[in-house]
Amino acid sequence: MSDASSLSSAPAPVAPAASAAPALAKNELLKQRDPSLGGAIAATLADPNADRFSEDDEQFIKFHGFYQQDDRDKRKTGKQYIFMIRNRLPGGVVTPEQYLAFDDLATRYANNTLRITSRQAFQWHGVVKSGLGPIMRGIHDVLSTTLAACGDVARNVMAPSTPATSVLVEQVLEDSRLVSTALLPRATAYHQIWIDGQELNLHGARGEEPREPQPAEDPLYGRTYLPRKFKTAFAIPPLNDTDVFTNCLGFVAIADPANPDRLLGYNLLAGGGLGMSHGNKETYPRLADVLGFFPRERIVEVAKAVLTAYRDHGDRTNRKHARLKYVLEEKGAAWFRGEVEARTGFPLAAPAPMPFTRQGDLFGWHRQTDGRFFLGLYVEAGRIKDTAQRQLKTALRRIVEQHRVEVRLTPSQNLLLANVPEAARADITAILAEHGVPVENQARAVRSSSMACPSMPTCGLGLAESERFLPTLLDAFETELAALGLADEELIVRMTGCPNGCARPYMAEIGFVGRAPNKYNIYLGGSETCLRLNREFRASVKSEDIMKELRPVLTRWRDERLPGEHFGDFAQRTILPELDAAKAAATAVAN
Ligand code: SRM
Ligand code: SF4
C-alpha cells in the first residue's frame, strides 16, 4: 500500500500466521483479538480482591499510559504490586492549573514525587490499584491525557520549549501539538474505562474544533496499531536539546532565509532509535537519516505518512526487530523517502542546512524573546521531591500557586518556570532559597548536564542502579575533575540501568549502561551536540572501579587535547582508535 489514500485507510486485519510464514509476536495477536485495547481492565479495577492485572492486560494497560510494576527493594518479602503512570505533554508545556493538579495527585496517590521523563512528560510512581482511577481522571480534568503515553503507538512528542533560544519556539510548539493530536489513537476502551465515556477535547481546550467521535476501528492505526513504539521530536538549530536524531521521526525547523522570524518548513528525519540488548548484535542504536525538506503546512500529512509506512512495513514477528530504525537500515533511506512521497503525493525537496552547535538546558534567570523572563532549574534525575536539604516540590507548588507561572519540562529532565514578569522574579528566587534551592550556581557543569533513567526499584527491566547511583558517581566525577583542574569543564554523562537506553546514554560523551547488579559497560565518544553515537570502551566494570578506568583517559584529555576540544571529540580522535588498534593487534596475534 503506497498511495496517498493509505494515509487514512487502516491496514486489513492481519490473518493468523500461515504455517510457512514467521509467527506473529504475541502482542500482535492480543491487539487483533481486542482492538479496543480494553481487555479485562475494567473487571480487574472493579474487583476489590485483585491487586494486579493479568499478563495479557499488562500489555493493554500500556496503551492507557500505565505500567504494572513491583517494588524491587521489597521482593524478598513477596511482590507488592504498584503502578507507574505516564502522561503526554507535547513540548513539555504544563499550565499552572495542570502543574498544581499533577503535584496534588503525586501527593495523594503516588510516592509524593513527580518524575520528569527524558521525553518531557511526567511519571507518577508507586501508585496502588485504587489510585489509578483518581489519577487518570485528575489528569483528564486539567485537559491532559495518559492515552498512548506508552504502547505500540506514537508517544509523547518532544519539542524545544525554552523561550529564549529562538523566535521559532512558539510556532514549533504549535506544530508539535498538532502532530501529537493527529497521531493519537482513538482506542474506545480508554475513555469508557477512565472518563465515563467522555472523550477529552484536547483541541477544544485551545479554542479549536473538537475531535470527531470515536470510530469502531482506529482510522490511522487500524486493528493492530503499530509494530512497536513510535517516537517523534522537533528541533530548532543550532540547539539539539531534544536529541532529534534518536527519534523514529524528526522534524528540524527551518526559518525563512528572507525572514528569520517565520518558520518556513522542516527537514524530515526518520529511523533513529537507541534500544538494544546485551549480547544481541541484531539490535543496535541508530541515528536517523535526513530525507528532505517540506513546507510547514504539510506537517500532519508527512507525520502520518511516516507513521503509516512504519505501520505497514515494520516487523510484526520479532519485537526486538520491530522499530522503524530497522526498516530504514534494511530497506534504505532512498526507498523510505519514496514510500513517504507516495503516501503524501508530493516530493520532498533537498534538505536545508541545519547547523547544530549545542545541546542541553539554560539554567538561572534569562530574558525571553517576548521580554518576560524564565528560570531554568536543574532537577536531579528529573525527580521533583522534598528532601531534608531541598524542598523542590513544596517550593514549586508555592511558586505556581502564587505567581501562576507556566512550567516547561526539558528533554534533559530539568524544568523551566516560564513567562515570568520582571516583578515576580525576586519573590520566586526568595521562595526557592527558603526551600534550599539555589538559582545561581545550581550544580557543577558535569552534574547539570547529566541524566539517569529510573531503574531500581520500579523498573522491572533494570539490571543495575541508575537514578539512585548516578548522584554518588557524580560526586566522584566532581572530585576527580577538580583534582585534574577540569572542575568547570562541560562533560555529558548519562546512565541507564539496562541497555534499553531510556536516558539516551549512547549519545553521551561518557555513557554508563547497566550490565548486572553493580556493573556497568562504559561508552565514550558522543559529541557535545549529541549528533554522534558513542562506542563501548569497557565492559562490566564494577561501580567502585569506574573512576580507576576513567582517571587515565580524563588525565590524557587534560594533557593532550586540542584547544577547546570536548572530551567526546578527544575520545573519538585518540582513545577509541587506539582501542581498535589494540583489538586488531590482539586478533592478529591470536590468528
Ligand atoms: Fe524507556 C521501557 C522509562 C525514554 C527505550 N522505559 C521502559 C520502561 C517502561 C520499562 C518497562 O517496559 O517495563 C521504563 C519505566 C521505568 C520506570 O520505573 O519509570 C522506561 N523511558 C523511561 C523514561 C521514564 C526514562 C527517563 O529517564 O525519563 C522515559 C520516558 C519517556 C516518555 O515520557 O515517554 C523513557 N525509553 C526512553 C528512551 C529515550 C527517548 O525516547 O528519547 C528510549 C531510547 C530511545 C528508543 O526508544 O529507542 C527508551 N524504554 C526503552 C526501551 C527499548 C526500546 C527498544 O527499541 O528496544 C524499553 C523496553 C521496551 O520497550 O520493551 C523501555
Ligand atoms: Fe528501565 Fe532500562 Fe529504561 Fe532504565 S534504561 S528505565 S533500567 S528499561
Side-chain angles (χ1 to χ4, degrees), residues 58 98 117 191 208 215 229 252 266 396 445 456 518 543 575:
E58 269 193 62
Q98 288 176 332
T117 75
H191 300 93
E208 297 161 32
K229 57 183 83 168
V252 178
Y266 293 97
L396 289 174
M456 311 293 179
N518 210 28
S543 333
I575 312 290

Side-chain angles (χ1 to χ4, degrees), residues 255-277:
D256 184 346
N259 174 11
D261 289 357
R262 191 174 87 89
L263 176 59
L264 196 61
Y266 293 97
N267 278 351
L268 171 64
L269 276 46
L274 296 181
M276 56 169 266
S277 304

Side-chain angles (χ1 to χ4, degrees), residues 11 107 124 131 194 224 268 339 473 517 561 566 573 583 591:
T107 313
W124 290 260
W194 305 108
T224 51
L268 171 64
E339 191 67 19
L473 184 62
R561 69 175 166 169
H566 283 261
R573 184 172 64 79
K583 272 189 198 153
N591 291 336

Side-chain angles (χ1 to χ4, degrees), residues 35-158:
S36 84
L37 306 174
I41 297 173
T44 307
L45 277 176
D47 178 354
N49 299 316
D51 63 346
R52 55 166 305 190
F53 293 88
S54 70
E55 212 179 295
D56 286 356
D57 285 347
E58 269 193 62
Q59 300 308 317
F60 288 130
I61 62 175
K62 294 180 187 174
F63 290 82
H64 298 232
F66 68 101
Y67 282 77
Q68 183 156 287
Q69 304 183 318
D70 70 287
D71 185 333
R72 295 181 62 182
D73 287 344
K74 297 184 178 156
R75 273 193 187 168
K76 281 194 184 130
T77 53
K79 272 194 177 180
Q80 292 183 14
Y81 290 98
I82 47 174
F83 300 89
M84 174 274 277
I85 300 181
R86 184 188 291 165
N87 72 347
R88 287 171 77 91
L89 294 166
V93 177
V94 187
T95 65
E97 293 69 31
Q98 288 176 332
Y99 186 83
L100 294 174
F102 297 162
D103 173 80
D104 187 46
L105 294 171
T107 313
R108 292 167 63 186
Y109 303 109
N111 64 357
N112 202 21
T113 73
L114 271 172
R115 174 60 156 70
I116 304 171
T117 75
S118 57
R119 297 192 65 80
Q120 298 176 283
F122 271 131
Q123 283 188 180
W124 290 260
H125 283 109
V127 179
V128 295
K129 203 188 87 183
S130 59
L132 287 171
I135 293 203
M136 305 291 259
R137 271 193 302 281
I139 291 171
H140 169 267
D141 286 347
V142 286
L143 300 173
S144 179
T145 186
T146 67
L147 173 62
C150 322
D152 298 344
V153 283
R155 303 290 187 86
N156 191 41
V157 175
M158 291 213 279

Side-chain angles (χ1 to χ4, degrees), residues 284 321 325-332:
Y284 44 84
H321 184 254
K325 64 182 173 182
Y326 299 116
V327 177
L328 266 289
E329 184 66 23
E330 287 153 26
K331 291 184 186 278

